[in-house]
Amino acid sequence: MSSDLPTPPETGRVGSMSLRALPPIYILPAHLTLDELHEFEDEVIELGAPFTYDAKEAKIFLGKVERKTRAAFELRSKGVWTEENIVKMEEPARKRRRVTPAPPTEVVIISDDESEAGEHVNVKAKETNAATSSRRPLREEDFVLPDLHNRVLVVKLAWWDECFRHRRLRPIEPFIVYDGRLIPKPDGESTPTSSPSSVRTQRPDTTSNNEHTSSPLQQNILARAKADAEVVKEKGHPVAFQHRRRFKQQNPPPVYGSLIPKLKRMTTSEFEECDAKALPEPPDWVKNHSMYCCLRSTPMNQPNHRFISELQKIKLSRILTLDQIGVRAYSTSIASLAAYPYLIRSPLEIMRLPGCDERIATHFSEYKATSPSESERYLPVARKLDEDENLQCLKILYDIWGCGADTARKMYFTYGWKDIDDVVQFGWNTLNRAQQIGVKYYDEFKTTIPRKEVEEITEIAKQHARKARGIKPHQYDTDEDIVAVIVGGYRRGKEQSGDVDMILSHRDENVTRNLIVDVVSELEESSYITHTLTLNTTTTKRGQQTLPYTGGDGGHGFDSLDKALCVWQDPNFEIPPSEAADPDSAPVMKNPNIHRRVDIIISPWRTVGCAVLGWSGATTFERDIRRWCKREKGWKFDSSGVRDRRDGLVLDFETPRKGKEGMEGDTWLDREKRLMDGLGIGWRPATERCTS
């Protein structure tokens, strides 16, 4: 071996201090890659410290953790429940124990040549004087641990780095993040699946000289393999998060089967004698078994909203686990239940609804069995999902603007980020600009917007669009004026909206060409728009024509209009009288107004009905419009227009026609009505398009 390489430490000894007297050590996987986790495990075992894969055995937890609350959370996620210990490290000496040097021990050193031949040489490790030893033993400062009976410590990994670099134990007090006292699991709290109890603490090998002794690294590999094998044998619950890293299985969805009671199976005679006769007369869409929710009315206030909200939780779990089939299935079932005009009292009612099968009926049986009172009922499967800490963390990350489910899973399962603080501390530089803004205004974006404020924001945007195109006051509210339509949840009747969606249009296509660029510039200059997340001019670039049909679904997706996704803040706010009296001496006051998410969409007048229809319905309603047009009509619909899939020709359903009573109206609402009739789905107001 090269003389430049450092001499490996004796197993179980760091400098002049033995590590065998340390309590069991567990490495927290948060913020560590799989390679980093294994590297630290190898170092701990190589230096002879007692290492365990079972968090409940450990007394010292090493990890990249900076805050006490996060440390307690990490312990809880491993099934270790604690409360902060109020006794500090400076406790009486009688409660402290000193880690003393162990007597000289016999260790095995394998040379390169001998290891190739499979031969082992036993060497007596002795304490030598610094003057005669080739490696001068380092004099260790006092290393003191508190009494860890019924207590655990969460320590920064930087402490272990210090010990490894100096080849001796360093004082631990400056690196302690959390000193926790063990407590029983509180009633009503859920404990994530912990490591198998069969995985025991790994300690330095103590075999005799004539026995074959494996290296610490080999012991580590075998121990890790054994731990993984034990986890594989466990059935009936998801794989524990810490062992999932060892498998490199980053995306296993949680599995929660339906609990009792099961859907009751009925004989023919029982069915005839049951309440089937008392069931309400089903709507026509139920009788016709219509699968398209765009063909039926779905109001905002739904009699079965409590049961639907429980199913929404399951749907969200399918989104977060990338189960697209499950998402679509639950979306279809929820849309059917939302349109049903009666309070459901029997699973038989659910079985006759299109898009609802025995699984949904079983969910209802479980839901109904939890309580005789409708207001107190819950779905056991949904409650389990609420208590799943993996899904809770994924939901936090998923709610960051600019992060989809796939990005959230990567943040959590690959990087170990569990909350917004983790994203800021460990991943800020890896986020794109839109995601950074989503993190910065995370809490503000989650604050809903009342209807009055939605109207005020839209009116301000309309005024700036008028200014950008030179619309004069005498042209206001005429055919020469800018038209602004509030769409999204506001138009469906929501009292509180998550963001503001508006469509701006004009009867002259020269006005709408590149209007999005000019209106955003005006709003930025007036300080209403603080950030522009996305700015698209796709309609202008294709001459404001309908999106071409290329044989598949084609184009750039369902939404293909000029649009800007912005961050909005009202620049007007009151200045305290004390500061207003002397503005020169007063410091610059920060704008206290909340930031809002605002989407501005531009549509040419020729297809404004398509734009309004495409942005007014809930998600499943819009999905079914596209399915209806494709499967039943052979057309392609998006917010830029309608085309025939057979020849690619544009189909015009919006242009006014002269009837018996004269020319039809030419407002945006008239155009939307004609469009819906032309598509064959029939007109219904936006307040009846509230699917999900």
Side-chain angles (χ1 to χ4, degrees):
M1 297 178 61
S2 171
S3 58
D4 296 332
L5 295 176
T7 306
E10 297 174 335
T11 303
R13 304 181 69 79
V14 179
S16 60
M17 181 66 71
S18 170
L19 302 184
R20 291 190 182 91
L22 286 175
I25 295 174
Y26 182 94
I27 299 180
L28 297 171
H31 314 310
L32 294 175
T33 65
L34 190 66
D35 291 339
E36 289 174 336
L37 180 63
H38 287 174
E39 180 182 348
F40 279 114
E41 290 173 353
D42 293 342
E43 286 181 3
V44 171
I45 296 177
E46 177 187 354
L47 296 182
F51 174 73
T52 179
Y53 286 120
D54 188 351
K56 294 183 179 180
E57 290 185 346
K59 292 297 184 180
I60 295 179
F61 291 81
L62 300 177
K64 283 187 176 181
V65 183
E66 302 292 335
R67 293 175 291 115
K68 293 180 180 180
T69 54
R70 182 53 187 274
F73 175 84
E74 289 295 332
L75 294 178
R76 190 168 65 254
S77 70
K78 305 297 179 290
V80 180
W81 293 82
T82 63
E83 62 182 13
E84 186 176 4
N85 187 46
I86 60 174
V87 179
K88 304 302 181 182
M89 287 293 294
E90 294 78 13
E91 57 187 8
R94 60 184 178 85
K95 293 186 178 180
R96 302 168 62 149
R97 62 188 181 90
R98 184 181 302 280
V99 180
T100 56
T105 57
E106 187 175 275
V107 297
V108 177
I109 299 177
I110 306 174
S111 66
D112 291 345
D113 296 336
E114 291 165 344
S115 62
E116 293 178 2
E119 299 176 357
H120 297 76
V121 178
N122 293 331
V123 180
K124 195 74 172 179
K126 300 179 179 179
E127 299 283 353
T128 58
N129 187 278
T132 59
S133 173
S134 59
R135 292 179 60 218
R136 178 180 177 273
L138 298 172
R139 180 71 61 181
E140 181 64 36
E141 301 112 351
D142 287 342
F143 178 80
V144 181
L145 280 176
D147 180 6
L148 293 182
H149 174 68
N150 203 38
R151 288 168 61 185
V152 294
L153 299 179
V154 178
V155 182
K156 297 179 183 179
L157 270 174
W159 171 72
W160 187 260
D161 292 336
E162 284 284 301
C163 296
F164 191 79
R165 184 171 66 253
H166 292 278
R167 285 296 191 269
R168 57 178 173 174
L169 286 174
R170 306 289 290 173
I172 198 171
E173 289 90 338
F175 299 92
I176 295 177
V177 177
Y178 179 69
D179 183 352
R181 184 172 63 86
L182 297 174
I183 61 174
K185 181 175 76 70
D187 294 338
E189 296 287 351
S190 61
T191 304
T193 306
S194 60
S195 305
S197 58
S198 59
V199 180
R200 307 304 298 171
T201 303
Q202 296 295 309
R203 297 188 181 276
D205 182 71
T206 56
T207 55
S208 59
N209 296 343
N210 57 359
E211 293 178 318
H212 174 75
T213 306
S214 58
S215 69
L217 185 57
Q218 289 171 324
Q219 296 175 27
N220 185 27
I221 295 173
L222 292 174
R224 231 170 16 230
K226 180 181 178 182
D228 292 347
E230 292 292 341
V231 175
V232 173
K233 292 178 183 178
E234 294 288 330
K235 296 181 179 180
H237 58 79
V239 178
F241 178 69
Q242 61 267 34
H243 295 291
R244 204 176 295 148
R245 291 183 176 275
R246 291 145 174 80
F247 287 141
K248 296 187 179 180
Q249 293 176 350
Q250 307 273 331
N251 299 326
V255 179
Y256 298 108
S258 296
L259 305 179
I260 57 173
K262 298 295 184 183
L263 183 64
K264 181 181 179 182
R265 297 186 178 276
M266 308 178 67
T267 65
T268 303
S269 60
E270 288 175 330
F271 180 81
E272 292 174 350
E273 296 175 359
C274 74
D275 294 335
K277 295 180 181 179
L279 295 181
E281 182 70 14
D284 290 340
W285 60 269
V286 176
K287 295 179 181 178
N288 300 331
H289 206 74
S290 174
M291 293 295 295
Y292 299 101
C293 67
C294 58
L295 302 180
R296 56 185 182 245
S297 294
T298 307
M300 175 65 67
N301 298 318
Q302 303 153 2
N304 299 291
H305 67 95
R306 290 185 178 276
F307 178 53
I308 290 172
S309 65
E310 295 293 286
L311 296 180
Q312 292 278 18
K313 297 176 183 178
I314 302 178
K315 175 185 170 183
L316 177 60
S317 73
R318 299 298 189 266
I319 294 174
L320 297 177
T321 54
L322 307 181
D323 179 7
Q324 295 302 320
I325 296 176
V327 172
R328 175 159 294 195
Y330 274 98
S331 297
T332 301
S333 301
I334 290 171
S336 189
L337 290 166
Y340 192 64
Y342 312 111
L343 179 65
I344 296 174
R345 302 185 183 279
S346 168
L348 296 176
E349 290 182 85
I350 292 179
M351 291 294 290
R352 65 183 184 177
L353 298 182
C356 294
D357 54 13
E358 183 178 347
R359 185 174 189 83
I360 304 299
T362 301
H363 283 326
F364 181 78
S365 295
E366 298 167 356
Y367 169 79
K368 187 176 181 180
T370 57
S371 174
S373 173
E374 174 71 21
S375 61
E376 297 177 358
R377 290 174 181 171
Y378 64 92
L379 189 57
V381 176
R383 177 160 292 187
K384 274 196 170 185
L385 294 172
D386 284 339
E387 296 170 352
D388 186 278
E389 294 200 27
N390 287 347
L391 291 178
Q392 290 174 10
C393 295
L394 285 173
K395 176 65 167 58
I396 292 173
L397 301 173
Y398 178 69
D399 285 341
I400 298 174
W401 197 94
C403 292
D406 195 41
T407 302
R409 293 182 66 83
K410 184 177 181 181
M411 287 179 173
Y412 181 58
F413 288 112
T414 302
Y415 302 129
W417 305 338
K418 295 185 177 182
D419 51 31
I420 301 301
D421 289 340
D422 285 349
V423 176
V424 173
Q425 183 174 356
F426 299 102
W428 180 259
N429 293 331
T430 68
L431 304 179
N432 60 41
R433 178 175 175 273
Q435 291 168 344
Q436 288 178 340
I437 294 172
V439 170
K440 183 177 181 180
Y441 302 119
Y442 182 85
D443 292 328
E444 295 183 61
F445 286 172
K446 288 178 70 66
T447 304
T448 56
I449 312 173
R451 294 180 67 84
K452 182 180 179 181
E453 186 177 349
V454 172
E455 296 164 359
E456 292 172 350
I457 290 174
T458 304
E459 182 61 29
I460 292 172
K462 181 179 180 179
Q463 292 289 349
H464 283 75
R466 287 168 169 169
K467 181 180 178 182
R469 285 295 179 263
I471 305 296
K472 306 300 182 183
H474 71 273
Q475 297 174 309
Y476 291 177
D477 302 322
T478 68
D479 288 350
E480 297 178 345
D481 193 12
I482 294 288
V483 175
V485 185
I486 308 175
V487 289
Y490 172 92
R491 190 169 178 231
R492 294 195 298 275
K494 285 187 175 182
E495 293 299 325
Q496 301 286 332
S497 300
D499 59 3
V500 179
D501 298 319
M502 71 181 77
I503 293 177
L504 303 180
S505 188
H506 194 278
R507 288 170 173 79
D508 185 352
E509 289 191 5
N510 291 322
V511 175
T512 53
R513 181 181 295 112
N514 254 338
L515 175 61
I516 190 61
V517 175
D518 296 332
V519 71
V520 169
S521 297
E522 289 286 343
L523 289 167
E524 286 180 340
E525 186 175 342
S526 300
S527 300
Y528 281 98
I529 291 180
T530 60
H531 305 81
T532 301
L533 303 172
T534 301
L535 180 65
N536 294 333
T537 57
T538 52
T539 310
T540 297
K541 289 178 180 177
R542 62 170 184 268
Q544 302 190 84
Q545 299 300 310
T546 299
L547 186 70
Y549 175 66
T550 57
D553 282 337
H556 307 287
F558 173 61
D559 175 45
S560 57
L561 298 175
D562 288 1
K563 63 180 179 296
L565 312 183
C566 312
V567 179
W568 181 285
Q569 185 186 40
D570 188 347
N572 304 305
F573 59 93
E574 294 184 3
I575 300 176
S578 58
E579 297 184 9
D582 189 7
D584 295 333
S585 61
V588 177
M589 184 176 177
K590 182 180 179 181
N591 188 342
N593 292 326
I594 192 171
H595 291 81
R596 302 297 197 183
R597 273 276 300 106
V598 174
D599 296 343
I600 303 174
I601 304 103
I602 309 296
S603 172
W605 188 254
R606 178 168 33 84
T607 55
V608 69
C610 290
V612 172
L613 176 60
W615 279 82
S616 292
T619 303
T620 310
F621 185 92
E622 300 296 337
R623 182 201 73 182
D624 277 8
I625 290 179
R626 300 193 296 274
R627 292 173 61 223
W628 164 264
C629 290
K630 178 179 180 180
R631 297 179 181 179
E632 306 298 332
K633 300 294 187 179
W635 302 334
K636 181 181 184 295
F637 168 80
D638 73 14
S639 54
S640 70
V642 185
R643 285 186 183 267
D644 194 314
R645 290 178 177 272
R646 291 161 289 193
D647 51 23
L649 294 179
V650 175
L651 304 176
D652 181 12
F653 297 109
E654 298 186 29
T655 301
R657 294 172 177 81
K658 190 173 183 178
K660 295 181 180 180
E661 299 179 359
M663 182 67 72
E664 297 180 20
D666 192 28
T667 66
W668 63 266
L669 185 59
D670 294 328
R671 285 179 167 264
E672 185 190 38
K673 289 180 178 179
R674 284 193 290 268
L675 171 66
M676 295 181 73
D677 288 337
L679 294 178
I681 62 178
W683 161 255
R684 57 185 45 81
T687 52
E688 297 180 10
R689 309 175 200 173
C690 307
T691 51
S692 62

